[in-house]
């Protein structure tokens, strides 16, 4: 069972890496890879099938929680961006030097990550860099 799961995972990762030449979206490939791995795991699990169902619900719950958090964080960041909330920070950054910009963004990220979740900070900093 482990060798089959490993083969499916490696094949899925290779499909994601070579997305452009094979013209298959990464999202479709990752969902298909995850689904196939869970199906193989459920079929060949040597124990009780009830345990498989509990594990599946547990992992789907964790993934759903992460997706809901991301959806909320990205919505808040987009609302702030639409109403020009990040202009306070971007107007104060007036450098042409890439090295200075790196240090400024790194410092802002350092202090924001202490206050916010790291994932939310990453979303905010990417939005700032796009501005």
């Amino acid at each position: 069972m482990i060798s089959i799961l490993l083969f499916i995972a490696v094949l899925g990762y290779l499909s994601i890496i070579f997305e452009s030449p094979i013209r298959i979206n990464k999202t479709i490939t990752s969902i298909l890879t995850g689904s196939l791995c869970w199906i193989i795991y459920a079929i060949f699990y040597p124990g009780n099938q009830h345990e498989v169902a509990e594990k599946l619900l547990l992992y789907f719950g964790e993934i759903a929680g992460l997706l809901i958090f991301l959806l909320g964080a990205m919505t808040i960041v987009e609302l702030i961006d639409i109403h020009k909330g990040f202009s306070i920070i971007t107007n104060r950054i007036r450098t042409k030097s890439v090295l200075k910009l790196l240090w400024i963004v790194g410092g802002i990220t350092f202090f924001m990550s202490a206050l916010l979740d790291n994932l939310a900070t990453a979303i905010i900093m990417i939005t700032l860099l796009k501005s």
Side-chain angles (χ1 to χ4, degrees):
M1 175 178 73
I2 302 268
S3 59
I4 296 171
L5 289 174
L6 190 61
F7 176 75
I8 292 172
V10 168
L11 189 65
Y13 278 121
L14 287 174
S15 299
I16 290 171
I17 290 169
F18 296 113
E19 172 192 19
S20 295
I22 61 174
R23 300 190 190 278
I24 296 177
N25 193 341
K26 285 186 261 193
T27 308
I28 295 169
T29 304
S30 60
I31 290 173
L32 183 64
T33 301
S35 300
L36 284 175
C37 285
W38 273 108
I39 290 169
I40 296 299
Y41 183 76
I43 289 172
F44 293 111
Y45 186 71
N48 188 359
Q49 294 300 321
H50 184 67
E51 293 175 24
V52 174
E54 286 179 6
K55 287 182 182 180
L56 185 61
L57 286 175
L58 174 73
Y59 289 120
F60 275 151
E62 290 177 9
I63 292 169
L66 179 65
L67 288 176
I68 289 170
F69 170 76
L70 278 174
L71 186 63
M74 290 174 71
T75 301
I76 291 170
V77 168
E78 285 299 317
L79 282 171
I80 292 170
D81 192 35
I82 286 172
H83 295 290
K84 308 293 184 217
F86 295 121
S87 63
I88 297 168
I89 298 171
T90 56
N91 288 341
R92 297 193 190 272
I93 300 173
R94 300 193 184 275
T95 182
K96 299 285 185 189
S97 171
V98 177
L99 187 61
K100 276 187 177 179
L101 183 63
L102 174 72
W103 279 103
I104 291 170
V105 170
I108 294 170
T109 305
F110 176 75
F111 288 110
M112 283 182 69
S113 67
L115 301 172
L116 300 172
D117 183 74
N118 289 335
L119 200 52
T121 303
I123 294 169
I124 290 171
M125 294 315 294
I126 289 171
T127 305
L128 280 175
L129 287 174
K130 285 194 310 188
S131 298

